[in-house]
Each structure stands twice: as structure tokens, then as C-alpha cells.
């Protein structure tokens, strides 16, 4: 089932962050983990899903992603820590194995 959402991947607690948008979150996390999306996330090994938010439409998700990418880093960290204070790998709740980088908590 496709559900538009905005997500944040991280290298670890308080590590490097990436904000993205997708309509199939589990598949996108797998793509990031397997390095199928060349660029920032594969270069910095951002494999832990630490936050996500669903949207009613893909257009709304894209607007939210663009808004969040303009935020200061502190705002992004606060958003993550309000919902996920221990920076757990939320991909586990989607039925995926923990992040393979060995730094999940």
C-alpha cells in the first residue's frame, strides 16, 4: 500500500541527517541501506530511519519535505527527539531488520 510520507534517515544518534519523501517507506529504506540511491545517503551511510510523518497526498509530503529542509539543524533534532528520544531504528516497526551499521540502540 502506498502512503505519501516525509522521513529522516540518520547515521546514528545526533549524526548526519537526510530528509526525503516517498510513497513506499519500507522500500525506500531498503534502497538507502543497500546503496541503491547513489549520493548523500550512501556516501554518509545513513541507514537508520529515525522519524517519519505521513501525508494525505504526495504534493503535501513534498511541501513538508521542502519546508523541513530549510529548518535549522536544532529544529530537526528536536523533532526527532520529541517522537524518538533514543533514536531507535523505526524501520523495525515496518517489519525490516535493524540498521546494518551496528549502531542501533
Amino acid at each position: 500500500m502506498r502512503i505519501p510520507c516525509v522521513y529522516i534517515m540518520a547515521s546514528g544518534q545526533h549524526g548526519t541527517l537526510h530528509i526525503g519523501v516517498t510513497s513506499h517507506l519500507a522500500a525506500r529504506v531498503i534502497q538507502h541501506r543497500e546503496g541503491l540511491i547513489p549520493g548523500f545517503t550512501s556516501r554518509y551511510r545513513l541507514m537508520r530511519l529515525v522519524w517519519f510523518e505521513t501525508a494525505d497526498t504526495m504534493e503535501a509530503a513534498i511541501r513538508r519535505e521542502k519546508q523541513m529542509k530549510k529548518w535549522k539543524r536544532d529544529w530537526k533534532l528536536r523533532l526527532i527527539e520529541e517522537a524518538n528520544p533514543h533514536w531507535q531504528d523505526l524501520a523495525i516497526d515496518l517489519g525490516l531488520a535493524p540498521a546494518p551499521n551496528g549502531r542501533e540502540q
Side-chain angles (χ1 to χ4, degrees), residues 33-72:
R33 288 182 176 180
E34 293 181 0
L36 300 175
I37 302 173
F40 188 82
T41 57
S42 61
R43 187 175 330 123
Y44 292 99
R45 297 190 39 79
L46 307 182
M47 298 193 183
R48 188 186 304 183
L49 176 67
V50 294
W51 180 89
F52 69 93
E53 172 181 282
T54 61
D56 291 332
T57 66
M58 187 54 103
E59 292 78 16
I62 292 168
R63 278 193 307 275
R64 177 74 163 152
E65 175 199 28
K66 288 179 180 181
Q67 174 192 50
M68 290 173 63
K69 284 186 173 188
K70 294 178 184 176
W71 286 7
K72 295 179 181 180

Side-chain angles (χ1 to χ4, degrees), residues 4-5 8 26 39 59 61 81 99:
C5 67
I8 301 176
E59 292 78 16
E81 292 183 347

